[in-house]
C-alpha cells in the first residue's frame, strides 16, 4: 500500500468529523435535546422532594393584611404549618384570623419602625423557642405612584425605600439568629421590575436593592444551612395595585409637580401615560396562586430555587427581554411611550 493511500484514508475520518452531513447534524441535535430533557427531569425530581415535619415548623410572614401575604398565610395554614402573620393594622389581623385555623397567630408590625421590628422579633422568639424560625417571608411592600421619576419628591423616594428595602433588611437581620438556629429559609419578594426596570423608578430601585441584598446574604449564609430565595412576580392585581387608588395617586402626583416640569412633559403626555397605566392595571393577573405557590415551594421543598419568576408576563416576556442588548430592550419597552412636549 502506498504512503499516499495511507495518508488518504487517515484524512477521511477527520474530514467527516469536521463537516458532518445531515445525519450527523440530526444526531447532534437529538443528543442535545436528550441532555436538556434529562436536566429538566432531574430538576423536577429534586424539586418534588418535600421537607419533613412541616407541621412543627414556624413561618413568619410580613404584609399579611391583603395580597400575596394574606393568600400565603391562608395557604400555609391549610397545609398545617404554624403561621405567624404580621399585619400593619388590627383590622387586617382580625380578618386573617377569621379565615384561618386556631394555629395561626398574628402580630402588628410596621417594618419602617425599629421598635416595632424588635417587639415582633421578641414575640416570634417566645413562640418558636429552641426550634428556631423555619421560614421568614419578607412580603410587605408599597408602590405609591407609577409616575415618572422626575414627578416624585424625595419624601416619596424615602418612604418607598424604607418599606421595600430598608424594612426587608432590618426585619431579616433582626430575625436572622432565629432562622439560623432552625437552618431555615428566607423568602424575599422582589419583582420582575427588580430584573428589568422601565417605569416607576423608586419602586424598581427598591426591588433591585432586594435582589442585591438577597444575593449577598445567600452567599454569606451558605455554610449555615440557611437558604435564600427571591420571588419575582409580574403584574398581579392586589391591594397595592388597586386600579382606582393607583390612578388617583398618579393624578395627585401630577397635580403637585412644579410648573416648569409640567411644561417639559406636557398635559398631552400625561393623558396618554395615564391611559397606558390604566390599561396595564386592568390587565394584571388575578391568579395570586401563581406567586404564593412559588413562595410555598421555596419554604417546603428540600431543594428550593434561588429565583422564582411568577406569571406568564414575567416568564415569557420580561425575563427573555432582560437578556437582550440594552438598546434593543429600550426600543421594545419604550416604542409606544408618548413624547414629552419639549422633546428634542
Amino acid at each position: 500500500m502506498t504512503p499516499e493511500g495511507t495518508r488518504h484514508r487517515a484524512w477521511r475520518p477527520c474530514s467527516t468529523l469536521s463537516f458532518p452531513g445531515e445525519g450527523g447534524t440530526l444526531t447532534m441535535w437529538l443528543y442535545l435535546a436528550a441532555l436538556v430533557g434529562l436536566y429538566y427531569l432531574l430538576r423536577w425530581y429534586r424539586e418534588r422532594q418535600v421537607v419533613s415535619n412541616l407541621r412543627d415548623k414556624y413561618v413568619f410572614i410580613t404584609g399579611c393584611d391583603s395580597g400575596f401575604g394574606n393568600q400565603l398565610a391562608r395557604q400555609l395554614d391549610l397545609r398545617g404549618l404554624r403561621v405567624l402573620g404580621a399585619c400593619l393594622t388590627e383590622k387586617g389581623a382580625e380578618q386573617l384570623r377569621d379565615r384561618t385555623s386556631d394555629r395561626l397567630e398574628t402580630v402588628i408590625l410596621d417594618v419602617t419602625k425599629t421598635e416595632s421590628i424588635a417587639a415582633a422579633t421578641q414575640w416570634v422568639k417566645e413562640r418558636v423557642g429552641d426550634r428556631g424560625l423555619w421560614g421568614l417571608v419578607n412580603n410587605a411592600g408599597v408602590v405609591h405612584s407609577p409616575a415618572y421619576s422626575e414627578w416624585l419628591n424625595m419624601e416619596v423616594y424615602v418612604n418607598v425605600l424604607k418599606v421595600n428595602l430598608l424594612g426587608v433588611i432590618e426585619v431579616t437581620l433582626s430575625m436572622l439568629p432565629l432562622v439560623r438556629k432552625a437552618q431555615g429559609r428566607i423568602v424575599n419578594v422582589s419583582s420582575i421590575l427588580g430584573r428589568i426596570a422601565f417605569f416607576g423608578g423608586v419602586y424598581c430601585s427598591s426591588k433591585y436593592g432586594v435582589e442585591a441584598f438577597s444575593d449577598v446574604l445567600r452567599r454569606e449564609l451558605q455554610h449555615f444551612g440557611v437558604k435564600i430565595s427571591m420571588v419575582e412576580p409580574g403584574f398581579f392585581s392586589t391591594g397595592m395595585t388597586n386600579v382606582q387608588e393607583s390612578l388617583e395617586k398618579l393624578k395627585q402626583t401630577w397635580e403637585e409637580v412644579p410648573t416648569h416640569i409640567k411644561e417639559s412633559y406636557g398635559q398631552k403626555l400625561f393623558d396618554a401615560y395615564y391611559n397606558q397605566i390604566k390599561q396595564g392595571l386592568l390587565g394584571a393577573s388575578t391568579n395570586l396562586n401563581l406567586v404564593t405557590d412559588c413562595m410555598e415551594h421555596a419554604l417546603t421543598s428540600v431543594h428550593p430555587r434561588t429565583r422564582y419568576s411568577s406569571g406568564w408576563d414575567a416568564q415569557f416576556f420580561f425575563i427573555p427581554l432582560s437578556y437582550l442588548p440594552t438598546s434593543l430592550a429600550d426600543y421594545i419597552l419604550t416604542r409606544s411611550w408618548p413624547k414629552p412636549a419639549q422633546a428634542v
Side-chain angles (χ1 to χ4, degrees), residues 52-344:
S52 59
N53 302 318
L54 285 176
R55 288 181 172 272
D56 297 327
K57 299 188 183 301
Y58 284 86
V59 177
F60 181 78
I61 309 168
T62 67
C64 288
D65 298 78
S66 62
F68 300 136
N70 186 279
Q71 174 78 15
L72 178 65
R74 291 185 283 115
Q75 194 167 317
L76 295 181
D77 179 59
L78 284 173
R79 190 157 181 183
L81 281 81
R82 297 181 177 272
V83 178
L84 305 174
C87 299
L88 181 61
T89 66
E90 182 56 46
K91 179 181 178 181
E94 183 179 350
Q95 290 177 344
L96 179 60
R97 290 194 301 268
D98 289 342
R99 302 181 65 183
T100 53
S101 73
D102 294 337
R103 290 190 308 274
L104 184 142
E105 298 180 74
T106 60
V107 65
I108 303 302
L109 172 65
D110 183 342
V111 299
T112 67
K113 296 180 179 178
T114 297
E115 60 273 19
S116 181
I117 294 173
T121 302
Q122 181 60 34
W123 179 83
V124 171
K125 187 176 181 180
E126 291 171 358
R127 277 146 185 81
V128 303
D130 294 333
R131 285 171 291 191
L133 180 63
W134 171 255
L136 166 61
V137 182
N138 285 304
N139 166 75
V142 294
V143 172
H144 184 74
S145 171
Y148 274 57
S149 300
E150 197 176 7
W151 302 353
L152 301 172
N153 58 46
M154 282 307 302
E155 183 180 357
V156 172
Y157 277 85
V158 171
N159 290 337
V160 172
L161 290 171
K162 284 174 69 175
V163 176
N164 292 0
L165 179 56
L166 298 180
V168 169
I169 293 173
E170 189 167 3
V171 169
T172 299
L173 297 180
S174 184
M175 299 277 183
L176 192 52
L178 298 176
V179 178
R180 195 166 55 238
K181 180 178 289 187
Q183 296 184 1
R185 309 288 173 78
I186 298 174
V187 180
N188 291 331
V189 180
S190 177
S191 168
I192 199 60
L193 296 178
R195 291 288 293 274
I196 181 166
F198 67 99
F199 81 99
V202 61
Y203 181 79
C204 294
S205 299
S206 68
K207 294 305 182 179
Y208 265 72
V210 170
E211 296 268 337
F213 176 66
S214 302
D215 278 336
V216 171
L217 200 65
R218 184 183 66 254
R219 289 159 183 149
E220 292 176 344
L221 298 179
Q222 60 182 325
H223 297 299
F224 290 102
V226 176
K227 297 182 179 180
I228 317 292
S229 295
M230 283 167 274
V231 179
E232 302 167 336
F235 292 99
F236 285 85
S237 180
T238 66
M240 197 167 66
T241 56
N242 179 275
V243 177
Q244 183 176 352
E245 291 182 7
S246 297
L247 293 176
E248 286 177 357
K249 286 182 180 178
L250 182 58
K251 279 185 178 180
Q252 181 182 353
T253 300
W254 177 250
E255 290 171 0
E256 296 173 356
V257 170
T259 302
H260 69 281
I261 296 179
K262 277 188 178 181
E263 291 174 349
S264 296
Y265 289 90
Q267 185 66 39
K268 185 177 179 181
L269 176 140
F270 173 78
D271 293 339
Y273 183 71
Y274 178 92
N275 289 328
Q276 286 184 340
I277 293 297
K278 181 178 180 179
Q279 293 305 313
L281 292 171
L282 290 172
S285 173
T286 58
N287 186 5
L288 303 190
N289 285 105
L290 293 175
V291 178
T292 56
D293 286 349
C294 292
M295 296 175 175
E296 181 179 344
H297 185 271
L299 293 165
T300 61
S301 174
V302 175
H303 302 286
R305 299 182 188 179
T306 300
R307 283 179 168 83
Y308 295 83
S309 298
S310 309
W312 298 112
D313 55 344
Q315 294 180 12
F316 296 105
F317 180 70
F318 291 109
I319 291 297
L321 194 66
S322 69
Y323 290 101
L324 293 180
T326 303
S327 57
L328 181 55
D330 286 351
Y331 170 75
I332 294 172
L333 289 170
T334 64
R335 69 188 187 280
S336 62
W337 283 16
K339 290 186 177 181
Q342 298 180 4
V344 295

